[in-house]
Amino acid sequence: MQDYVAPRWLPGGHLQTIWPALWARRADAPLPDYRRERWTTPDGDFIDVDFLDAAGARPRPLLVLFHGLEGSSRSHYAEAFASFAAARGWDYAVPHFRGCSGEINLAPRAYHSGDFEEIGWILARLRAHRDTTGGGPMLAVGVSLGGNALLRWAEEAGEAAAKTVRAVASISAPLDLAAGGAAIGRGFNRLVYTRMFLATMKPKALAKLAQHPGLFDRERLLAAHDLYAFDNVFTAPLHGFRDTDDYWTRGSAKPHLHAIRIPALVVNAVNDPFVPGESLPRQGEVGDHVTLWQPAHGGHVGFAMGLPPGHVRGLPERVGAWLAGAE
């Protein structure tokens, strides 16, 4: 793949992360409103899935995007991929992880970086619907947390993944959760990004505690000032892990990339503030089905292009073209 070169006016991993998320253009034209469906989960909870339906004859591809930590269909990358799909005449879907669609979910759980069973259930339901309505192939992309979870699904599914999707891509995924957790828990990252995430994650957790009294220790949660401590109190025990170390070990996609049996593109900028470059996989650590793209610049889900304020359409175009050509 052609390498990415950051604009000269946007130096460094932090600027390349923050600016695209807040100010870069996401689409050339206003996007149509999403069509939302609410699905009941096997455990009696719900998730919300936002769709953009393309015009024209079937069959046509469906691009499914799994968002990142505290993301949604309105995240900058989700709208950029929506613009790409609309321009290509593809259908588009953004399933929201539990509690991320604007309404707290019902069950005593939320979502996590290794949530491959939830990914599998969502993709299987989408595939079944398309099989009965004459839909075309499915392609899936996951961003950050969603990218790691999507790769974990592909790893667990093995050969069977090809029955559901034709190809997958991950963008800025923390493939080694311990390395990513350590990076976001120190210095500037802790002051800015950790504080930003916890500002929404803690209130959601407290709302979950109000639904299910006694679910976890409220005081310990309030005292958590990094993701390691938050995951120890909330994420790990609610999702069947012993503690944060167990969760980060079992949830990481990096050790199992050799098990993937469908075309998979793994995109990580070396200067990503959340994902240390030294923690990224090398070609010898992955299987024949995995393509690594590790440009020197791009930040975390940034990859802005053009003159100020820049745009973020370039990454969806490159990733989407790769997915379209994957066999």
Side-chain angles (χ1 to χ4, degrees):
M1 295 181 68
Q2 182 182 2
D3 209 3
Y4 166 79
V5 179
R8 295 182 66 181
W9 58 269
L10 199 61
H14 292 299
L15 271 179
Q16 291 166 18
T17 298
I18 296 169
W19 185 278
L22 298 179
W23 298 295
R25 295 188 302 274
R26 306 175 181 191
D28 285 328
L31 292 171
D33 291 335
Y34 287 110
R35 172 179 62 83
R36 175 163 290 188
E37 292 184 6
R38 176 159 290 187
W39 294 356
T40 301
T41 62
D43 61 349
D45 202 354
F46 71 89
I47 65 165
D48 290 323
V49 186
D50 284 353
F51 291 90
L52 290 179
D53 302 312
R58 288 176 174 265
R60 53 182 181 260
L62 169 65
L63 178 62
V64 185
L65 182 137
F66 293 97
H67 62 76
L69 183 64
E70 296 299 273
S72 74
S73 62
R74 293 301 179 189
S75 295
H76 69 287
Y77 51 83
E79 293 195 335
F81 269 97
S83 178
F84 166 82
R88 279 265 184 155
W90 293 1
D91 295 327
Y92 182 63
V94 182
H96 290 87
F97 290 116
R98 302 196 198 196
C100 290
S101 62
E103 184 176 339
I104 195 71
N105 64 304
L106 304 176
R109 59 155 294 171
Y111 65 103
H112 62 89
S113 295
D115 213 353
F116 64 85
E117 292 177 333
E118 188 92 305
I119 296 276
W121 174 74
I122 291 168
L123 290 175
R125 177 160 174 165
L126 288 167
R127 180 71 269 167
H129 179 263
R130 292 185 74 75
D131 287 344
T132 59
T133 58
M138 279 174 40
L139 308 164
V141 59
V143 177
S144 195
L145 174 150
N148 186 83
L150 176 62
L151 293 177
R152 287 292 294 117
W153 168 78
E155 293 163 354
E156 293 290 329
E159 300 284 354
K163 298 177 181 178
T164 305
V165 300
R166 190 169 69 187
V168 297
S170 75
I171 298 169
S172 301
L175 307 172
D176 180 336
L177 293 175
I184 202 171
R186 58 177 178 255
F188 180 87
N189 289 351
R190 182 186 180 102
L191 291 174
V192 177
Y193 307 120
T194 296
R195 185 174 295 178
M196 174 191 70
F197 285 131
L198 291 180
T200 58
M201 293 166 66
K202 281 188 174 182
K204 285 184 181 180
L206 293 174
K208 187 61 56 184
L209 184 62
Q211 286 179 323
H212 302 277
L215 189 62
F216 58 84
D217 187 319
R218 183 177 186 273
E219 296 309 313
R220 286 183 63 208
L221 181 101
L222 292 175
H225 294 299
D226 57 27
L227 295 186
Y228 184 94
F230 179 90
D231 285 346
N232 237 353
V233 177
F234 184 81
T235 313
L238 264 63
H239 300 102
F241 300 100
R242 183 183 66 252
D243 53 21
T244 296
D245 292 326
D246 182 44
Y247 160 39
W248 286 0
T249 298
R250 291 166 55 193
S252 295
K254 181 181 175 180
H256 313 287
L257 290 170
H258 58 85
I260 293 177
R261 294 293 182 267
I262 57 173
L265 175 65
V266 180
V267 181
N268 291 95
V270 175
N271 72 343
D272 187 331
F274 300 0
V275 184
E278 61 270 18
S279 74
L280 297 178
R282 304 296 177 240
Q283 197 60 54
E285 300 177 274
V286 305
D288 294 339
H289 298 277
V290 177
T291 298
L292 301 178
W293 183 36
Q294 296 173 355
H297 304 283
H300 188 77
V301 203
F303 302 96
M305 302 177 70
L307 298 174
H311 66 82
V312 290
R313 300 189 303 274
L315 185 65
E317 289 167 0
R318 294 185 189 194
V319 172
W322 188 93
L323 287 169
E327 296 292 346

